[in-house]
Amino acid sequence: MATRIGFFTRLLDKVPASERYRLATEQIQYAEQLGFDSAWVAQHHFHENEGGLPSPLVFLAHVGAQTQRIRLGTGIITLPMENAVRVAEDAAVADLLIGGRLELGLGSGGTPSAFDTFGLTFDQRGDVFAQHLATLQDAWQGKTLTETDNRLYPPALGLDKKIWIATFSARGAQLAGKAGHGLMLSRTQPRPEGQPHLPLDALQNPIIDAYLEALPAGVTPRILASRTAFVADDHHYARKVALPGLTEQAAGYRRAGHHLRGETLDDLIGQFDAHIGDPQQVLTSLRQDSVLPRVTDISFQVHSVEPSHRDLLHSLDLLSRYIVPVLRSHTATRELERSL
């Protein structure tokens, strides 16, 4: 599969919201200058320490006015919390404003405590997601909405072909594949009980298998894998920068009731499936991931390392110079497959 490389910014800088948005805009502009194919942002309601961006389509319309080529995506919109018709309208307008560069990543999950504010329980999210997704598709395909004669305006130009579904499960991947949507794989995910050292690719390869098996004949697969990668000139410096963020992430993981593998930095790097070090170390680490040769898209983020803005930009530069060319290369991809 051809590999497109993206950048995923989480807007977690410890600064006021306006400055977060300015820094993220600058990061995406720099990613475009470096040749990255896409940039992604997540939606989070209320919890500034988890993302601080409740309105990703508004933000991407702003970024789109300051970029020319890079595709701009949501990773993800938490669809159960949204009015599906309004998402359809906002996405249609945003896509027109940015020249058809919008990609729509959607999911059912989110911070459990946020659902109550939107009149939902966390347990309702799956059923509501399915209902809202059906409404989105109807709207973007030009069908009448509910029992009225109303149709979406402005009409969506192919947005129904740019849906990506985020899931942790083979069942979710099967549903995404059957519908012809793209599949989004997370940078990390919880391990099954009693298997804390199970590699991430051991969890995600069966998800890819289910997706490809369900994909209708003639539909081109779209599989995006998000991965944490922080690259520095010196691996000691990379580890020093990584320690505070990973330690904070581990504390949140414990509070959520998850089991940790251990307490050392190497334990935390393994726990959160992070690729950290100098360019050669990060490339060597990525070579161990048997998911990557199977995907069409990779989006790199620094979460949960949380470096400074300056270090993040330098990491993007090193990725673009030393790692992205290898991942783009069909020859290198075949060599990677043979080495795993």
Side-chain angles (χ1 to χ4, degrees):
M1 298 183 185
T3 302
R4 296 178 293 264
I5 309 296
F7 165 59
F8 190 160
T9 178
R10 293 290 297 268
L11 289 82
L12 287 167
D13 305 86
K14 296 188 184 332
V15 293
S18 60
E19 182 67 359
R20 282 186 173 188
Y21 302 152
R22 187 191 71 80
L23 292 175
T25 300
E26 184 177 320
Q27 291 161 12
I28 294 171
Q29 289 175 308
Y30 191 56
E32 180 176 66
Q33 293 171 23
L34 293 173
F36 283 78
D37 299 297
S38 62
W40 301 80
V41 295
Q43 179 186 51
H44 288 92
H45 293 286
F46 313 123
H47 303 281
E48 65 180 277
N49 293 330
E50 294 185 11
L53 181 60
S55 304
L57 293 173
V58 174
F59 175 74
L60 292 180
H62 162 75
V63 173
Q66 302 182 61
T67 55
Q68 290 75 47
R69 176 197 56 80
I70 196 167
R71 302 194 68 78
L72 302 172
T74 60
I76 56 170
I77 291 174
T78 310
L79 193 56
M81 298 186 196
E82 305 298 318
N83 180 297
V85 175
R86 289 294 296 117
V87 171
E89 291 177 327
D90 287 349
V93 172
D95 195 43
L96 287 174
L97 290 174
I98 67 175
R101 290 184 281 141
L102 189 64
E103 300 284 338
L104 272 301
L106 307 170
S108 62
T111 305
S113 61
F115 282 81
D116 290 344
T117 307
F118 292 90
L120 293 172
T121 67
F122 190 63
D123 291 339
Q124 291 175 307
R125 68 192 187 282
D127 290 339
V128 177
F129 175 81
Q131 295 166 12
H132 287 189
L133 179 58
T135 299
L136 278 185
Q137 291 178 270
D138 285 348
W140 289 337
Q141 291 170 3
K143 298 178 182 178
T144 57
L145 299 173
T146 63
E147 296 179 359
T148 71
D149 291 330
N150 293 325
R151 300 176 192 270
L152 189 70
Y153 183 84
L157 304 176
L159 278 179
D160 62 311
K161 306 299 184 186
K162 298 192 290 183
I163 295 172
W164 300 77
I165 304 297
T167 183
F168 279 169
S169 72
R171 174 59 177 162
Q174 185 180 50
L175 293 173
K178 185 176 181 181
H181 301 318
L183 173 67
M184 301 185 84
L185 302 172
S186 64
R187 65 179 179 87
T188 189
Q189 62 187 78
R191 275 27 177 202
E193 186 70 28
Q195 296 180 281
H197 295 283
L198 194 67
L200 180 63
D201 54 1
L203 294 174
Q204 293 188 338
N205 274 316
I207 297 175
I208 294 175
D209 292 339
Y211 171 78
L212 293 174
E213 185 176 347
L215 202 67
V219 176
T220 301
R222 291 179 292 126
I223 306 171
L224 183 149
S226 184
R227 291 296 184 263
T228 293
F230 175 62
V231 193
D233 295 308
D234 175 76
H235 74 277
H236 295 293
Y237 181 76
R239 290 170 63 86
K240 177 182 176 180
V241 170
L243 181 58
L246 290 174
T247 301
E248 185 176 339
Q249 180 78 3
Y253 211 65
R254 288 189 206 93
R255 288 193 296 271
H258 297 300
H259 173 74
L260 289 175
R261 299 179 188 179
E263 302 296 330
T264 70
L265 177 56
D266 286 324
D267 290 331
L268 297 181
I269 288 171
Q271 178 78 56
F272 300 115
D273 303 294
H275 305 274
I276 295 168
D278 61 38
Q280 186 56 55
Q281 286 176 316
V282 171
L283 184 57
T284 299
S285 179
L286 289 168
R287 287 181 186 274
Q288 308 308 310
D289 189 339
S290 65
V291 161
L292 298 187
R294 305 185 68 192
V295 304
T296 60
D297 297 73
I298 303 169
S299 66
F300 285 115
Q301 59 179 295
V302 294
H303 183 65
S304 44
V305 172
E306 315 310 350
S308 68
H309 177 65
R310 179 178 178 180
D311 283 335
L312 188 158
L313 294 181
H314 189 53
S315 178
L316 283 176
D317 181 44
L318 294 174
L319 274 170
S320 72
R321 284 195 280 154
Y322 298 109
I323 294 169
V324 169
V326 176
L327 296 176
R328 288 195 198 280
S329 166
H330 292 289
T331 300
T333 300
R334 287 194 295 271
E335 291 174 353
L336 179 57
E337 288 177 307
R338 285 197 295 269
S339 71
L340 296 169

